[in-house]
Amino acid sequence: MTNNETLRQTNAFAMLDGLKFGLYWCFGFFCAVKGIGGGTLSTLGMMVIISAPFMGCYLAHRFEAQVRPDGSVSYGKAYLYSALLYFYAATILALVAYVYFRWFDGGSFVDSFMAVQNTPEMQEAMRVSGMQQYFDTIVAQSGFDNLGEMLRSITPAEIAASLFNMNIFLGLLLSLITALVGK
């Protein structure tokens, strides 16, 4: 198999698995966003976030098993697959997050976050930990009157770009481990 064919095969597997993995991330994203106040959805979202690296390792191992008859899978090929897997998943999640926050959310996420933020328990925890002073300083430096106003100023494109960048960075790091497990 030539290098070009190997690259195309690896990309094809990563694209298909990245689609599934991205949809899994989207499920976790929706659970985390809708369960911001706590409860079952929040727990489910956290479970998806925690299990994502393990699912990535499973998909990488499955990829290795599927292409094994074509020859052994080198660490480089396993890393390329893993990095592309995380790239495609991050792309899908960023697109879904953009669509959600642009057309469907209508500010409900920030409202839910601020409702949790304003509970007496959270206010006390923020005060004791010193986080309230930290948030107050950030809000004052940014020129906004309060945290809610500052959060509402973040555009859907900025949210999607932040999610994409964070997931690409983490994906490149996790790919180092995922490739070892998958190989």
Side-chain angles (χ1 to χ4, degrees), residues 13 58-70 73 182:
F13 275 101
Y58 166 76
L59 291 170
H61 182 71
R62 198 179 76 181
F63 164 72
E64 189 271 337
Q66 288 174 326
V67 299
R68 183 60 127 177
D70 293 342
V73 176

Side-chain angles (χ1 to χ4, degrees), residues 1-171:
M1 187 176 276
T2 67
N3 284 343
N4 192 27
E5 290 171 340
T6 300
L7 180 61
R8 293 174 86 189
Q9 177 193 43
T10 303
N11 185 47
F13 275 101
M15 194 179 297
L16 181 61
D17 290 343
L19 172 65
K20 297 171 194 170
F21 200 32
L23 292 175
Y24 181 69
W25 283 10
C26 290
F27 173 72
F29 166 76
F30 283 122
C31 289
V33 167
K34 292 299 183 184
I36 191 73
T40 306
L41 282 178
S42 179
T43 303
L44 194 55
M46 188 56 68
M47 288 172 55
V48 169
I49 290 168
I50 291 170
S51 69
F54 299 104
M55 180 127 176
C57 289
Y58 166 76
L59 291 170
H61 182 71
R62 198 179 76 181
F63 164 72
E64 189 271 337
Q66 288 174 326
V67 299
R68 183 60 127 177
D70 293 342
S72 67
V73 176
S74 67
Y75 179 79
K77 186 175 181 179
Y79 181 81
L80 176 64
Y81 167 81
S82 299
L84 288 171
L85 173 75
Y86 287 109
F87 170 78
Y88 290 125
T91 302
I92 290 167
L93 179 61
L95 289 171
V96 167
Y98 176 78
V99 168
Y100 174 76
F101 284 112
R102 174 72 174 92
W103 288 291
F104 296 105
D105 183 63
S108 67
F109 176 74
V110 172
D111 293 340
S112 297
F113 179 82
M114 292 309 298
V116 170
Q117 170 82 17
N118 292 328
T119 61
E121 302 85 21
M122 184 61 78
Q123 288 294 313
E124 180 63 20
M126 298 282 285
R127 188 189 60 72
V128 169
S129 68
M131 289 301 293
Q132 188 63 50
Q133 183 179 1
Y134 176 73
F135 279 139
D136 291 343
T137 303
I138 289 175
V139 170
Q141 288 175 349
S142 65
F144 291 100
D145 293 331
N146 58 50
L147 181 62
E149 183 182 319
M150 187 173 95
L151 292 175
R152 284 183 186 84
S153 73
I154 302 171
T155 66
E158 291 169 334
I159 294 169
S162 293
L163 277 172
F164 181 75
N165 289 335
M166 179 182 62
N167 286 319
I168 289 295
F169 176 73
L170 291 174

